[in-house]
Amino acid sequence: MFIAHLPAGYLLSRQIAKSHPAKGALIATGLLASVLPDTDLFWFYLVSDRQSVHHGYMFHWPLFWGLIAALSWGLSRALGAHGAGSFILVALANLLLHLALDSVAAGVGWLRPLSTIEVNLVEVPARYNWWVWNFVLHWTFGLELAIILAAGLTLRRDLLRRRPATP
């Protein structure tokens, strides 16, 4: 996935937070978490000089995020911050959604570091010189466009509902 993580995060966060009193803050948390795994691209481009696939980094390990969520939940309980559970849930759900979407056309090691097996539902063949075209011109990019369309229509509807009626 290239461009659908944030829109997918909006759709998921909106569903989780729809009746929560801190709906806006939960959605913001979800949006941040929906793109958080790709912050490893900074390391990929600036430090490792693209020497390994960025999906192999720890930020693309589901077990890493599960551990972080469990530790965060335990710490929030120990500190008496019981309201943090909703934020941890929406963050973890979006982190895992990011990795599930990445698993469609790129490998994700769902059991790393315990196993090197990667889940990759669809192999995208290398047909074009610039690697980006291989993904943009593959049928799976249609899934991204569908997610973006759904999120755009949902956001538009949400914004129109909030607009006060004109006399």
Side-chain angles (χ1 to χ4, degrees):
M1 290 276 156
F2 282 114
I3 56 176
H5 290 300
L6 200 61
Y10 174 70
L11 292 171
L12 178 61
S13 300
R14 180 184 173 279
Q15 280 304 115
I16 294 172
K18 66 180 165 186
S19 62
H20 196 280
K23 180 179 178 179
L26 277 175
I27 290 174
T29 299
L31 290 174
L32 176 64
S34 73
V35 295
L36 188 58
D38 281 340
T39 58
D40 63 10
L41 286 168
F42 291 110
W43 184 269
F44 177 72
Y45 283 108
L46 300 175
V47 177
S48 77
D49 196 32
R50 300 180 291 178
Q51 294 302 305
S52 59
V53 178
H54 87 100
H55 284 184
Y57 295 142
M58 181 169 46
F59 274 24
H60 275 83
W61 296 356
L63 293 178
F64 169 75
W65 293 115
L67 177 63
I68 296 296
L71 292 172
S72 298
W73 183 81
L75 184 61
S76 71
R77 288 293 197 202
L79 296 175
H82 301 293
S86 299
F87 290 90
I88 295 166
L89 171 69
V90 78
L92 182 61
N94 275 280
L95 290 160
L96 295 177
L97 175 62
H98 179 111
L99 300 173
L101 291 172
D102 276 353
S103 294
V104 171
V108 172
W110 282 85
L111 295 177
R112 280 191 187 241
L114 306 176
S115 170
T116 58
I117 295 172
E118 291 187 348
V119 174
N120 183 3
L121 300 178
V122 178
E123 192 69 36
V124 177
R127 294 186 177 150
Y128 305 99
N129 288 335
W130 189 39
W131 68 272
V132 173
W133 288 124
N134 294 308
F135 290 92
V136 171
L137 298 176
H138 193 265
W139 67 265
T140 54
F141 195 69
L143 298 174
E144 291 201 63
L145 296 176
I147 292 169
I148 292 165
L149 179 63
L153 292 172
T154 302
L155 178 61
R156 181 178 183 273
R157 187 182 69 219
D158 289 348
L159 293 173
L160 289 174
R161 281 186 184 161
R162 278 200 261 170
R163 186 179 294 170
T166 56

